[in-house]
Amino acid sequence: MRSKMAILLVGLLTLGFLTAAQAAAETSLVVAVDTPPRMMNPHGDDSDAGLSFMANFFDGLLQRKGPDGKLVPALAERWEHPDLLTWRFYLRKGVTFHNGNPFNAEDVKFSFERLSNPEVSEFLNTGKSIDSITIIDDYTVEIKTKTPIPWFANNLHQIFIMDKESTEQRDPGDVMIHPIGTGAYKLVEWVKGSYVRMEANENYWEGAPAIKKVEVRPITESSTRFAALVSGQADIMTGVPVELFEKVKANPKVEVISRPARRSIFLALGNKPGDPWADIRVRKAMYMAINEDEIIEKVMRGHATPAAQIPDPPTIGYNPDIKRLPYDPEGARKLLKEAGYENGFEITLTGPNDRYVQDEKIAEAVAKYLAKVGIKVKLDVKPKSIFFPEVSEGSLQFYLIGWFDGTFDMGRTYFKLAHTRDDAKGYGGLNGTSYSDPKLDQMLEATADMVDPAQRKKALEELNKYAMEEKIVWIPLHYQEDLYAMQKDKGIVFQPRPDRWMVYKEIGVK
């Protein structure tokens, strides 16, 4: 009898240990991502890759949730826009930072004032746009902008709130590597180039997340990232490369998840007087010389859709009436001859080789198509760490870049990418060719105080049509496709976000 009881007890204990181990495994996640974090300062990196990490440690006043990116309350329970310049936020009570400090209006004021400091912030445009920040009480803040910014609130999911007290007390170097936020996860360990480990914030204001431990492994080489997935070392893989898609899809252990990306890939072109490409006929010729359908088929392996404009359909200002110019190399040659460039000209095409899907190969294809109509292209592709500062300088001739607007408002896109550069006002900060068109500027500035949705939509659609058809500010190529893969039969519930952020509180287990 005693031996039977002992066996039963051992069996129950074993079952208990197995159940506990299974539960632990189910609530842990290893993710292989394509881009590592640069820092843990939430204002120091405005790239989607950097913000993806920060969204787990920090919260904004607002947040975007789910596959549609719906804007909903976060650290602000509600907000008001009483006049064109004023935004009033009513803050959530009872929230604490990871170090136990209570969250209040002082932290909001500190965080927004920090945005205008170039030593710690890449959100300088947002910082410079603010005229004043007033604390009404511990849980009410009023922000006034210098000029009307209709999309101001739409951008607040990526302006993360820091703990004023600890940030001021800590060494700046420590702030760069140790995040202290209110987010759903706390940093456990960051070994640069190897992994980022985080654990659930059990006191999170939205409730403790289902996944208790997350290890993020940045693996920039795509085949190595895939190997980590199929070997079971990773549960989810981001950035499935198009050249490996069929191989990944064929693996019985893996489930592939795809969604149309918001990001468009396009070519920016200057219009400095005297340059051949300042002539609208030349711009049309360059557009018509590029066989985008073939780029999608051969370079993107079918994982992209043609674009006729920069904003995507969910963005205010997307105009469905804008159509792509046809691929017509013969027509392109006629236009070049008409413009006086029958023998072509030379131009430098700059671009990154490590930022967008097949970016270098796309640039090479564009150069070959333009060569067929007599345009001699010098390719200048380089790492993104070198490329993007050059864009910010505004001295490029012609470059490949990608974009989607996190505010879902095309006005912001045009102010950053196409308005005549004006450092004092913060316009044209990413206008890498210093493109300038007075009428476009005027049309754009006229939308600044438009808050009525119907009026704003109509005005931005008209501006978009003018830019893309009458001026060809940019040559659009395609919208990417976001590709992920994850282990089958692991019980992971994952829906990709439109901004490609990996927000682990949104991932569940069955």
Side-chain angles (χ1 to χ4, degrees):
M1 185 69 175
R2 286 181 179 176
S3 63
K4 288 181 179 179
M5 287 295 292
I7 292 169
L8 179 60
L9 182 60
V10 170
L12 288 170
L13 286 170
T14 303
L15 180 61
F17 284 129
L18 285 172
T19 304
Q22 287 168 349
E26 287 171 355
T27 57
S28 298
L29 192 71
V30 178
V31 183
V33 299
D34 46 8
T35 307
R38 286 168 48 200
M39 64 188 74
M40 294 294 164
N41 163 23
H43 305 144
D45 181 2
D46 65 354
S47 70
D48 56 344
L51 294 171
S52 175
F53 279 93
M54 296 305 100
N56 293 287
F57 304 125
F58 296 90
D59 292 304
L61 293 179
L62 309 178
Q63 61 180 326
R64 290 192 180 274
K65 277 200 164 187
D68 298 324
K70 184 180 179 182
L71 191 68
V72 298
L75 293 180
E77 291 184 310
R78 59 189 176 93
W79 67 98
E80 297 171 349
H81 186 30
D83 60 59
L84 292 175
L85 301 177
T86 305
W87 299 83
R88 191 174 299 126
F89 299 93
Y90 298 90
L91 308 181
R92 192 176 299 278
K93 298 177 181 178
V95 178
T96 57
F97 287 94
H98 297 159
N99 60 1
N101 283 352
F103 158 74
N104 60 37
E106 290 284 354
D107 303 304
V108 175
K109 187 175 191 294
F110 168 78
S111 298
F112 275 87
E113 288 178 341
R114 194 172 184 266
L115 300 179
S116 58
N117 180 357
E119 293 183 3
V120 296
S121 172
E122 286 191 353
F123 290 89
L124 297 177
N125 284 346
T126 301
K128 289 178 180 178
S129 73
I130 295 172
D131 185 50
S132 65
I133 305 168
T134 304
I135 295 175
I136 307 299
D137 59 44
D138 283 351
Y139 294 97
T140 311
V141 177
E142 190 171 273
I143 298 176
K144 285 187 178 290
T145 58
K146 295 174 182 175
T147 59
I149 305 176
W151 63 83
F152 185 77
N154 291 2
N155 198 37
L156 297 188
H157 64 293
Q158 54 189 8
I159 304 297
F160 296 116
I161 305 303
M162 303 180 73
D163 174 34
K164 178 179 186 292
E165 182 183 45
S166 66
T167 305
E168 287 181 331
Q169 291 176 351
R170 290 191 290 157
D171 180 88
D174 189 64
V175 173
M176 295 288 281
I177 59 175
H178 292 121
I180 297 176
T182 60
Y185 288 88
K186 302 177 182 181
L187 178 69
V188 174
E189 186 181 21
W190 176 27
V191 177
K192 290 186 178 182
S194 296
Y195 58 79
V196 176
R197 288 179 182 152
M198 56 186 86
E199 64 182 5
N201 176 4
E202 295 297 331
N203 297 316
Y204 188 52
W205 59 269
E206 269 190 322
I211 305 293
K212 300 304 178 184
K213 294 183 179 180
V214 180
E215 181 173 308
V216 186
R217 298 178 185 171
I219 305 174
T220 55
E221 211 288 310
S222 55
S223 59
T224 307
R225 202 161 61 250
F226 174 55
L229 180 74
V230 296
S231 66
Q233 295 178 54
D235 301 307
I236 299 177
M237 167 189 177
T238 71
V240 174
V242 294
E243 65 271 21
L244 288 179
F245 179 83
E246 294 302 326
K247 183 178 180 181
V248 175
K249 190 177 178 181
N251 191 297
K253 298 179 181 179
V254 170
E255 177 183 354
V256 177
I257 301 171
S258 66
R259 65 161 290 155
R262 295 195 61 219
R263 176 173 283 117
S264 59
I265 302 297
F266 58 97
L267 302 166
L269 195 58
N271 67 340
K272 181 182 175 183
D275 285 340
W277 46 91
D279 189 312
I280 188 63
R281 294 167 295 185
V282 173
R283 300 173 86 89
K284 284 183 178 178
M286 294 174 73
Y287 191 151
M288 293 162 61
I290 298 169
N291 188 344
E292 176 55 32
D293 288 341
E294 191 169 71
I295 288 176
I296 291 173
E297 178 190 355
K298 294 186 176 179
V299 179
M300 300 301 292
R301 311 291 180 96
H303 296 289
T305 54
Q309 55 198 293
I310 308 314
D312 61 327
T315 300
I316 299 167
Y318 173 86
N319 190 329
D321 295 333
I322 300 173
K323 307 299 180 188
R324 280 192 64 84
L325 289 180
Y327 169 58
D328 183 1
E330 188 57 39
R333 291 188 193 94
K334 288 178 181 177
L335 284 169
L336 288 172
K337 183 177 180 180
E338 184 183 321
Y341 298 102
E342 184 177 5
N343 296 321
F345 52 84
E346 295 184 359
I347 190 170
T348 298
L349 173 58
T350 309
N353 58 11
D354 59 353
R355 177 63 184 91
Y356 309 112
V357 179
Q358 303 287 75
D359 44 15
E360 184 172 5
K361 288 187 170 68
I362 295 168
E364 290 171 353
V366 167
K368 289 176 183 176
Y369 291 129
L370 293 178
K372 290 179 180 179
V373 298
I375 299 172
K376 303 172 187 67
V377 177
K378 177 185 176 183
L379 271 180
D380 180 25
V381 294
K382 59 195 69 179
K384 61 190 175 187
S385 60
I386 301 172
F387 169 71
F388 282 107
E390 292 181 353
V391 173
S392 297
E393 290 169 6
S395 58
L396 300 175
Q397 291 181 338
F398 181 36
Y399 62 93
L400 181 144
I401 197 168
W403 182 262
F404 72 86
D405 201 295
T407 69
F408 290 76
D409 189 298
M410 195 203 78
R412 176 175 173 268
T413 295
Y414 271 81
F415 267 114
K416 289 174 77 74
L417 273 63
H419 193 287
T420 301
R421 294 178 70 91
D422 186 331
D423 292 340
K425 293 182 178 178
Y427 297 161
L430 291 175
N431 180 349
T433 63
S434 293
Y435 179 90
S436 180
D437 182 79
K439 182 178 177 180
L440 187 148
D441 291 349
Q442 185 180 19
M443 292 176 73
L444 185 56
E445 289 168 22
T447 69
D449 60 357
M450 289 182 186
V451 293
D452 177 75
Q455 180 192 24
R456 184 165 184 78
K457 178 177 181 291
K458 183 174 184 294
L460 288 175
E461 287 181 4
E462 289 173 355
L463 185 154
N464 197 14
K465 192 174 182 68
Y466 168 78
M468 299 308 299
E469 293 188 350
E470 292 188 40
K471 292 296 179 178
I472 309 183
V473 175
W474 302 294
I475 299 174
L477 297 176
H478 55 256
Y479 298 107
Q480 293 185 162
E481 186 174 284
D482 291 337
L483 301 172
Y484 305 80
M486 67 181 187
Q487 294 282 349
K488 278 184 180 176
D489 306 322
K490 286 262 183 137
I492 301 168
V493 181
F494 169 60
Q495 278 190 304
R497 293 168 54 99
D499 53 19
R500 289 192 76 242
W501 294 6
M502 295 296 291
V503 179
Y504 301 110
K505 71 178 183 180
E506 297 179 356
I507 299 178
V509 288
K510 294 178 182 176

